[in-house]
Amino acid sequence: MILLTRKADFSAAHFYWNDAWTEAENQRVFGKCANRQGHGHNYTLEVTVEGAVDPVSGFVVDLKQLKDIMEHEVVSVYDHRHLNHEVPEFAATVPTTENIAIAIWRRLDGKIPGAKLHRVRVYEMPDLFADFYGEGA
Amino acid sequence: MNLVAHLNRRYRFAAAHRLHVDALTPARNRAIYGKCNNPFGHGHNYVAQVTLSGPVDAATGMVTNLGDLDAFAQREMLDLFDHANLNTLECFRDLVPTTENLCIELWRIFAQYPHAKLERIRVEETGNNAFDYFGDGARIQHEE
């Protein structure tokens, strides 16, 4: 079994807000991330898949195909967008790094032929990143 | 249902140390530790990477509030280790301050963090040396 990781970058705006709370409560919990005008990051996505090495191709998964799936399912939806306003899964869910990792897992799970999704890692910045290993992990 | 995610946060501190064990002869210390045994010590820019897991809170979208974690790291780790000589700290009074032992000490500190479960401490001593500790008796389950 081999783990294979592919990276992709996207840039997006977001803010943290819970509609069920008062403005003061949002400010207290989320601090400057609660600025409703939004702010942005250069995100790095790392997708790790696991699978057996195909004896003919020597691949776990066709990297070009994986790149295209990541582009189609995630980057084309998230890049240069405002996550709160333009990406449906964050209409009612706070787009924290944790929730972005979960959302990307859901977008990719089951869509990569021949390999199993092992981990989705999302870097909001080099010193802050979240990992998601699946719904049962 | 609250799904479990892992949150990783990296902190930086600069510190001096000297690798030396009093119970060994000077020659033996030099043989084992080489230039790290220099009597005057030397230093590194350390990176401590803390991995915590927990259910993602439905209201906040977070495993733990970063403000809480950063304040804890500042108070319990950075205030103690940054711009310090590790050999002078209480925890290394009778323990050689290798990066392995530093990992274990940081594990003891972050295991006390009340809002999430500690999964891993990674300490990078230089850009080419990194050490991981998963807690007592643990082994790598998820990693690369």
Side-chain angles (χ1 to χ4, degrees), chain A residues 3 16 18 21 28-30 46 94 96-99 102 106 118-119 121 125-135 137, chain B residues 1 3-12 47 49 51 56-66 120 141-144:
Chain A
L3 297 180
Y16 293 174
N18 185 327
W21 295 347
R28 187 185 68 75
V29 174
F30 294 132
E46 284 184 14
V94 190
T96 57
T97 319
E98 295 92 320
N99 277 335
I102 293 170
R106 288 176 170 161
H118 172 72
R119 183 181 73 187
R121 170 171 283 184
M125 51 183 77
D127 286 343
L128 173 63
F129 50 105
D131 298 320
F132 188 61
Y133 293 91
E135 319 246 342
Chain B
M1 179 181 62
L3 299 173
V4 171
H6 289 59
L7 178 79
N8 302 271
R9 184 67 155 157
R10 289 161 64 84
Y11 300 99
R12 290 151 204 280
V47 178
Q49 180 175 311
T51 304
V56 178
D57 185 278
T60 65
M62 296 171 174
V63 168
T64 183
N65 194 308
L66 271 184
R120 180 177 70 179
Q141 291 177 326
H142 288 306
E143 268 313 306
E144 300 87 355

Side-chain angles (χ1 to χ4, degrees), chain B residues 16-20 29 36-42 85 87 96-97:
Chain B
H17 74 166
R18 180 201 185 196
L19 303 187
H20 181 87
N29 269 293
C36 298
N37 186 238
N38 169 14
F40 296 103
H42 63 283
N85 183 322
N87 298 70
V96 61

Side-chain angles (χ1 to χ4, degrees), chain B residues 13 15-21 24 29 32-34 36-37 42 44 46-47 81 85-89 91-108 121-126 129-133:
Chain B
F13 60 89
H17 74 166
R18 180 201 185 196
L19 303 187
H20 181 87
V21 174
L24 301 174
N29 269 293
I32 295 172
Y33 295 122
C36 298
N37 186 238
H42 63 283
H44 299 286
Y46 289 95
V47 178
F81 290 95
N85 183 322
L86 299 181
N87 298 70
T88 65
L89 301 179
C91 55
F92 294 118
R93 200 180 55 182
D94 300 313
L95 185 68
V96 61
T98 58
T99 312
E100 291 89 328
N101 281 333
L102 183 56
C103 277
I104 294 169
E105 191 53 36
L106 295 185
W107 178 278
R108 286 202 188 99
I121 295 286
R122 167 173 287 183
V123 179
E124 298 172 13
E125 184 183 63
T126 71
N129 294 340
F131 301 78
D132 292 310
Y133 186 59

Side-chain angles (χ1 to χ4, degrees), chain A:
Chain A
M1 194 65 70
I2 294 282
L3 297 180
L4 181 147
T5 300
R6 175 117 208 166
K7 290 192 190 191
D9 297 304
F10 59 91
S11 302
H14 74 167
F15 64 93
Y16 293 174
W17 194 269
N18 185 327
D19 284 332
W21 295 347
T22 63
E23 178 156 356
E25 185 69 354
N26 274 287
Q27 293 292 343
R28 187 185 68 75
V29 174
F30 294 132
K32 60 187 177 182
C33 298
N35 172 6
R36 299 201 67 165
Q37 302 302 315
H39 62 282
H41 299 285
N42 295 320
Y43 291 93
T44 297
L45 165 64
E46 284 184 14
V47 173
T48 303
V49 299
E50 67 175 79
V53 179
D54 184 282
V56 177
S57 70
F59 291 162
V60 170
V61 62
D62 183 324
L63 271 183
K64 172 68 167 65
Q65 195 175 28
L66 178 57
K67 181 184 177 182
D68 290 346
I69 293 166
M70 288 165 64
E71 172 66 30
H72 179 259
E73 299 293 333
V74 181
V75 176
S76 68
V77 185
Y78 287 13
D79 188 38
H80 287 73
R81 296 293 179 183
H82 193 302
L83 299 179
N84 301 66
H85 296 311
E86 297 184 281
V87 177
E89 55 262 40
F90 302 117
T93 300
V94 190
T96 57
T97 319
E98 295 92 320
N99 277 335
I100 294 171
I102 293 170
I104 291 175
W105 178 282
R106 288 176 170 161
R107 284 180 171 272
L108 294 175
D109 192 27
K111 297 200 176 121
I112 303 160
K116 183 168 160 286
L117 198 53
H118 172 72
R119 183 181 73 187
V120 168
R121 170 171 283 184
V122 177
Y123 287 83
E124 185 184 272
M125 51 183 77
D127 286 343
L128 173 63
F129 50 105
D131 298 320
F132 188 61
Y133 293 91
E135 319 246 342

